[in-house]
Amino acid sequence: MSVDAATVRRIAHLARIAVTDDEVPHLQGELNAMLAFVEQLSEVDVEGVEPMTSVTPMEMKKRADVVDDGEIADKVVANAPATENHFFLVPKVVE
């Protein structure tokens, strides 16, 4: 796949980048080099290769999935002007 000057201008417009006519040939070469590299990567045989989440094999640290109240209800409502039983009290706005 090859990028032409019109495509470079369109990409620049979509990216909201101001590109002068003098810069278009340079950017065209850069984009074509990137696409050539991606095409080169598609030729690599990755059959049987497991996907990686890290370059070093390690187990992800996970906390226990336990539901609790956080034990900080008093701290949460500490600065509220009015509370009742760890709930915020607000003025009635609908009658």
Side-chain angles (χ1 to χ4, degrees):
M1 180 176 183
S2 178
V3 175
D4 60 353
T7 305
V8 171
R9 287 188 184 92
R10 175 132 173 86
I11 292 169
H13 173 73
L14 292 173
R16 305 295 192 259
I17 299 172
V19 175
T20 64
D21 290 337
D22 297 337
E23 296 172 318
V24 170
H26 173 70
L27 292 173
Q28 185 177 355
E30 292 281 329
L31 289 170
N32 283 327
M34 288 180 215
L35 291 174
F37 181 71
V38 170
E39 286 178 12
Q40 196 176 28
L41 287 176
S42 67
E43 296 172 3
V44 176
D45 181 23
V46 293
E47 190 68 33
V49 177
E50 292 289 322
M52 296 178 11
T53 57
S54 175
V55 293
T56 58
M58 60 184 193
E59 189 69 28
M60 295 292 291
K61 296 177 184 175
K62 299 174 187 164
R63 64 173 172 80
D65 190 16
V66 179
V67 177
D68 63 2
D69 64 355
E71 300 176 5
I72 59 168
D74 292 327
K75 291 180 183 178
V76 171
V77 296
N79 291 327
T83 63
E84 183 178 308
N85 296 329
H86 303 299
F87 293 100
F88 296 99
L89 290 179
V90 294
K92 185 176 179 180
V93 293
V94 178
E95 295 188 34

